Amino acid sequence: MERALIILKPDAVQRGLIGPILSRLEQRGLRFQGLKLIQMTKDMACQHYAEHEGKSFFSGLITYITSAPVLVLVVTGKAGTVELVRAMVGATNPAKAAPGTIRGDFGLEIGRNLIHASDSPENGERETEIFFKSEELIGQWERAIHIWIHE
Ligand code: IDP
Ligand code: MG
């Protein structure tokens, strides 16, 4: 089992793109384990983006991600789920992201790239713990259409 932490960033929420982006994830067949709208605190943002501390874009990134509500969600699935979600999200810079990806279809600039997705199963676990208490995550459940998505 793998977990990916996904964030629909302030620009996605403000632009009314929660529905279209969640639809893509649902239609692909992914299973949501937890989902909520939050106002990210500076502490949460710094913890989440700790690896980027000291980079030129860091302070702008923290301002951006805390500037309006975000939707945080956890997607679970078999091995490879994290990589699959990253492929759906597309390259960091939307200007270079392939058409058909979320960033490639909805964005234009790196500083407004709409969505975050964990880049490894380890980060999926680490990032999930920043935003969700264990009781906020649904345990074992299967979508009714599971057998029509999985062999
Ligand atoms: P990722 O979100 O595709 O994993 P990272 O390199 O981990 O990309 O960067 C984290 C986030 O920091 C990006 O999604 C983007 O919001 C922001 N970011 C990265 N590079 C730049 C930049 O050069 N200018 C402005 N923002 C940036
Ligand atoms: Mg990253």
Side-chain angles (χ1 to χ4, degrees):
M1 284 293 285
E2 272 184 22
R3 249 195 316 223
L5 186 277
I6 297 173
I7 303 170
L8 305 194
K9 296 179 177 179
D11 45 338
V13 174
Q14 291 287 2
R15 290 175 54 191
L17 293 174
I18 292 175
I21 295 173
L22 289 186
S23 281
R24 287 180 177 222
L25 300 169
E26 276 191 306
Q27 286 170 3
R28 188 75 191 265
L30 293 167
R31 182 181 49 195
F32 300 163
Q33 200 191 5
L35 188 159
K36 61 182 175 180
L37 191 70
I38 62 162
Q39 176 71 49
M40 205 185 291
T41 64
K42 201 175 166 202
D43 269 5
M44 283 167 146
C46 289
Q47 217 182 319
H48 176 68
Y49 281 124
E51 66 170 307
H52 297 301
E53 212 178 326
K55 294 185 186 167
S56 59
F57 60 83
F58 185 72
S59 82
L61 174 59
I62 300 303
T63 301
Y64 159 54
I65 205 75
T66 58
S67 64
V70 296
L71 190 98
V72 284
L73 71 146
V74 176
V75 159
T76 51
K78 60 185 181 183
T81 298
V82 164
E83 193 182 346
L84 186 146
V85 171
R86 287 281 290 190
M88 291 180 76
V89 164
T92 304
N93 186 348
K96 294 186 180 147
T101 63
I102 293 164
R103 288 168 173 165
D105 285 350
F106 295 118
L108 285 173
E109 293 188 18
I110 195 164
R112 296 288 182 270
N113 66 358
L114 299 152
I115 182 168
H116 164 86
S118 307
D119 63 3
S120 67
E122 296 70 35
N123 271 334
E125 297 301 319
R126 183 186 71 83
E127 294 167 0
T128 295
E129 283 177 21
I130 298 172
F131 299 105
F132 288 92
K133 299 185 183 120
S134 57
E135 62 264 30
E136 291 177 310
L137 297 170
I138 305 298
Q140 290 298 325
W141 74 286
E142 246 174 35
R143 294 178 65 177
I145 56 162
H146 184 89
I147 58 164
W148 305 111
I149 296 169
H150 299 275
E151 217 178 349

